[in-house]
Amino acid sequence: MHQIIRKQEMAKGTIVRFDVRAPEIAKKAKPGQFVIVRLTETGERIPLTIADKDSFEGYITLIFQVVGKTTAIMRTLNEGDAIKDLVGPLGKPADIQKVGTVIMVGGGTGVAILHHIAKAFKEAGNTVISIIGAREKDLLILENEMRIISDELVITTDDGSYGQLGFVTEPLQRYLDERYDIKEVYAIGPIPMMKFVCRLTKKYNVPTMVSLNPIMIDGTGMCGGCRVTVGNETKFCCVDGPDFNGHEVDFDELTKRNSMYLKEEKDALLFSIRG
Amino acid sequence: MSKKKSPAPKKENAKQSPKDKPAEKPKRPPRPPRTKMPEQPPDIRIKNFVEVPYGLTPEEAQLEAARCIQCKRPKCVEGCPVSVQIPEFIALIKDGHFAEAASKIKETNVLPAVCGRVCPQETQCEETCILGRRGEPVAIGYLERFCADYERLGGHIKLPKKKRPNDKKVAIVGSGPAGLTVAGDLSLLGYKLTIFEAFHKGGGVLVYGIPEFRLPKEIVETEINYLERLGVEIKYNHVIGMCKSINELLTKDGFDAVFIGVGAGLPRFLNIPGENLNGVYSANEYLTRSNLMKAYLYPTYNTPIMKGRKVTVVGGGNVAMDCARTALRLGSDKVMLVYRRAREQMPARAEEVHHAAEEGIDFRLLSNPVEIIGDDTGVVKRIKCQKYQLGEPDDSGRRRPLPIEGEYFELETDLVIIAIGNNANPLIKATTPDIETNKWGNIIVDEFGRTNKNFVYAAGDIVTGGATVISAMGGGRKAATGIHRDLMGIKDEDVQD
């Protein structure tokens, strides 16, 4: 059992932050890695990327968006409640090196994972330019945290209620046009966002990493449910990823695969409401 | 009182009748036929997940036990990977000492209720049974299952005597058949044991792989519980290689030895177009969803599973049979099994193939998929297969399947399950690069499970590649011996076999 020691609602309650006691995982976790969560005896196993950790206090931070039954139940948990099973850290850590100037692009809940990786890039001595976006002002998360670790921070909102009006790709293109020293781009967010970022950076030939979040069960390579096509090869996201060269990822396939249980998700939610 | 008296005259009768006969003829009376296992009828059982065979009654078990001729040099024991003392336990059943019979098996096999169900007896103990030469062998598997069930269901499980605790700590990675055997053996010898299990439940393939209708999970839980009562500690949700490395177990955590029994655990795919369409599962994923996560009880249990109306299973092993039979029970209208060789060459146990056929699985033999075809939304619609024929025998001794050029056919299907085996899981190797593996990634060991790293041992599928529960247990037993010898400073050459 892993106790929730802090809970914070973000983005009008659609995104929730938990600090969860897990000293063993906190000791080992590196940016980009994830855990598998199972809430109850009848619960399913879902992967959540580790958004931060404190190995001294022995907790990890999980930031999740309410998308299905498990995350809906998870949101109802409070400080002092516990998560039944937590497995990790899993997956390969992000490859963080000193390369010069990097652009970190995040959208929606993706900013939570991006922050952990961006912080590591900054600590490794890189110049970090961050572009984070959301649908509207109230849905933007971790602005201050991102500001602290970024040399430059650009904010976009789809409706223009905060920062620049539009998508993250617009300021990204501007940077790519104006600066020739961008060595790497990291993009984490909704699949369409990552797809369009990669399409753009490919034109400029700037290496781009993305973090994928397919459906998983065990997280150890055993089931193959998380397969993604990268460079025309099938990879298992849990052991080969979750971060991949974005220019080689088949995002359309990933979108389809992630929709595999949409009907069941809906049924399960109804079931949990009606009993 | 009457209960006690009634069997007595029977016994006398039994003793007398052979006495009467030798006078007239030295020939033995004809041996009774092998006991048939009572089973759920196929049309009923395809609608439930309850175990298929009911098990023998005490009377049936005693009758079957009486068929054993108690060979002086029993061949059956030679056929058993863990050398269960088969004639001895059968004699105990014959005499009605069922709990003692179970204890007798447990001297060499910690999982009799499991092995009595899933061992391929027909190619092991029963194949070498002397009765099999002229008729049918003793149903050793049924008897093993019988006394293990008797012990468990009657609450007769006794803890065996343990040796005085020594001060040695052993870590076991993986709680499948190999790991459980090592835990069972070493705990009796006085070791302090910790099992690290990646999942939230113990048993490895016994819980995520083998379906409820073939191995009720309650049995595996009892076995795990038994080990815990012996003092074995089980740490769930621990993926060794990720949360701790093998080296850390030996240094930081102070274990004197580490046993690796992580299984094969990396599903193979066919590498054909369309394999990542929605509605294509590896057998591991399909079975894990259904068995471990109990998707067959969805939505009470939250893990969903695609059911499919027309299901195609690819492969011919036990796992393929398990998938096909699970699909039927999940309510599919039609389940087809595509296999590139003929029925006789299937690696699955004869009993499993027989059960599958009885239940109406449609065998599409001598054919192999070449493409899976989907619709615009990325969901499986059809599978295209090529016809095969049998050529000369290959290295495995089976006739080699050869594709017939230009001969293709398509099957309409909305769920495809690939059950063609596993490769070695990369997690241990990736985080313990100095452990020696072969070109397939399987860990190389000596006859006592020793790897090239000091005090690190391995057995089961991670060593052999995909094999049986009992062969993993056999390997586990060897490794337990190796660990014991090395930690106690006993040299192999000083031990007489």
Side-chain angles (χ1 to χ4, degrees), chain A residues 28 49 97 104 112 115 148 151 171 175-176 178 181 185 193-194 206 219 222 265 275:
Chain A
K28 283 280 174 166
T49 307
Q97 286 175 31
M104 311 298 293
H115 170 254
I148 291 166
D151 294 275
Y175 276 113
L176 293 170
E178 287 167 7
D181 60 340
V185 171
M193 184 211 93
M194 293 193 284
V206 178
M222 199 277 288
E265 275 288 345

Side-chain angles (χ1 to χ4, degrees), chain A residues 145-165:
Chain A
E145 287 83 348
M146 285 303 292
R147 197 175 296 284
I148 291 166
I149 50 120
S150 304
D151 294 275
E152 291 177 39
L153 176 71
V154 182
I155 292 165
T156 66
T157 48
D158 299 4
D159 66 351
S161 52
Y162 191 55
Q164 299 179 16
L165 169 73

Side-chain angles (χ1 to χ4, degrees), chain B residues 164-187:
Chain B
R164 211 154 43 86
N166 58 36
D167 57 347
K168 303 288 185 192
K169 276 169 57 181
V170 179
I172 295 171
V173 186
S175 67
L180 294 181
T181 303
V182 173
D185 283 7
L186 290 184
S187 71

Side-chain angles (χ1 to χ4, degrees), chain A residues 5-47:
Chain A
I5 51 180
R6 252 184 305 278
K7 176 184 181 180
Q8 183 196 347
E9 294 204 348
M10 309 159 113
K12 295 193 206 166
T14 58
I15 297 174
V16 182
R17 176 194 160 126
F18 279 167
D19 290 339
V20 185
R21 189 164 302 287
E24 281 187 331
I25 300 174
K27 235 182 265 171
K28 283 280 174 166
K30 295 200 173 81
Q33 289 188 301
F34 64 94
V35 289
I36 295 269
V37 173
R38 194 180 74 130
L39 294 182
T40 61
E41 192 51 46
T42 55
E44 60 179 339
R45 295 168 65 100
I46 62 159

Side-chain angles (χ1 to χ4, degrees), chain B residues 25-301:
Chain B
K25 242 187 179 185
K27 256 194 174 177
R28 269 183 275 119
R31 207 171 303 286
R34 177 178 160 115
T35 311
K36 289 261 181 302
M37 175 65 91
E39 291 176 347
Q40 275 198 77
D43 56 324
I44 304 288
R45 71 187 191 229
I46 59 167
K47 298 193 183 86
N48 66 53
F49 274 84
V50 179
E51 192 176 14
V52 170
Y54 293 125
L56 303 183
T57 63
E59 294 74 28
E60 286 168 333
Q62 282 185 292
L63 212 66
E64 182 61 27
R67 292 181 70 233
C68 173
I69 57 172
Q70 296 289 322
C71 301
K72 282 225 175 73
R73 258 175 265 141
K75 292 275 181 212
C76 51
V77 180
E78 287 171 28
C80 175
V82 296
S83 307
V84 167
Q85 300 302 295
I86 295 167
E88 284 85 344
F89 96 74
I90 291 183
L92 287 165
I93 293 181
K94 194 178 124 197
D95 295 338
H97 304 307
F98 304 140
E100 289 80 356
S103 304
K104 179 50 89 181
I105 301 177
K106 279 196 172 164
E107 285 175 15
T108 45
N109 180 345
V110 287
L111 305 170
V114 173
C115 291
R117 287 171 165 83
V118 303
C119 258
Q121 289 98 7
E122 65 280 7
T123 59
Q124 296 176 359
C125 52
E126 293 182 16
E127 185 179 46
T128 47
C129 172
I130 213 89
L131 291 191
R133 289 196 189 163
R134 287 229 182 124
E136 288 186 290
V138 175
I140 301 169
Y142 296 173
L143 292 175
E144 182 180 31
R145 174 185 158 165
F146 166 77
C147 54
D149 286 357
Y150 176 89
E151 185 196 40
R152 184 181 75 258
L153 299 172
H156 302 294
I157 298 180
K158 276 193 212 123
L159 288 187
K161 265 196 183 152
K162 283 171 63 169
K163 286 212 172 139
R164 211 154 43 86
N166 58 36
D167 57 347
K168 303 288 185 192
K169 276 169 57 181
V170 179
I172 295 171
V173 186
S175 67
L180 294 181
T181 303
V182 173
D185 283 7
L186 290 184
S187 71
L188 294 188
L189 290 168
Y191 290 85
K192 178 149 179 30
L193 298 157
T194 306
I195 299 180
F196 294 93
E197 166 56 46
F199 273 129
H200 51 266
K201 263 208 177 80
V205 73
L206 305 176
V207 291
Y208 75 73
I210 304 178
E212 181 77 15
F213 57 84
R214 210 148 73 75
L215 177 65
K217 300 303 152 242
E218 167 249 323
I219 291 173
V220 184
E221 276 162 29
T222 308
E223 304 292 5
I224 303 271
N225 180 261
Y226 169 80
L227 287 176
E228 283 178 323
R229 281 165 62 201
L230 279 175
V232 176
E233 182 192 15
I234 306 181
K235 288 190 172 228
Y236 296 102
N237 299 324
H238 278 70
V239 181
I240 298 302
M242 299 307 294
C243 66
K244 289 171 192 296
S245 68
I246 299 287
N247 285 337
E248 282 171 317
L249 289 172
L250 287 167
T251 52
K252 267 193 201 162
D253 291 359
F255 286 100
D256 297 288
V258 177
F259 171 78
I260 303 169
V262 295
L266 191 78
R268 265 184 223 143
F269 285 90
L270 292 155
N271 295 317
I272 58 172
E275 227 167 358
N276 291 347
L277 287 167
N278 287 358
V280 182
Y281 280 127
S282 72
N284 284 1
E285 180 177 5
Y286 187 67
L287 293 174
T288 300
R289 282 180 183 275
S290 180
N291 299 331
L292 177 78
M293 305 310 294
K294 302 210 185 296
Y296 69 94
L297 299 174
Y298 179 88
T300 307
Y301 280 76

Side-chain angles (χ1 to χ4, degrees), chain A residues 1 29 31 50 58 61 65 71 85 88 93 107 113 128 210 217 228 230 234 236 244 258 260:
Chain A
M1 294 295 246
I50 299 167
T61 301
Q65 189 173 8
T71 42
D85 298 300
I113 310 159
V128 174
V210 292
I217 304 180
V228 288
V230 183
T234 294
F236 288 3
F244 292 101
N258 274 1
M260 204 178 312

Side-chain angles (χ1 to χ4, degrees), chain A residues 252-253 256-257 259-260, chain B residues 273-280 306 309 371-383 410-416:
Chain A
D252 296 340
E253 180 188 273
K256 285 176 186 166
R257 287 189 65 79
S259 69
M260 204 178 312
Chain B
E275 227 167 358
N276 291 347
L277 287 167
N278 287 358
V280 182
M306 288 183 91
R309 254 178 346 97
E371 187 182 355
I372 304 170
I373 302 149
D375 64 11
D376 301 342
T377 61
V379 178
V380 173
K381 279 284 159 242
R382 295 190 314 269
I383 186 165
E410 287 189 1
L411 300 170
E412 212 183 290
T413 187
D414 54 357
L415 189 70
V416 176

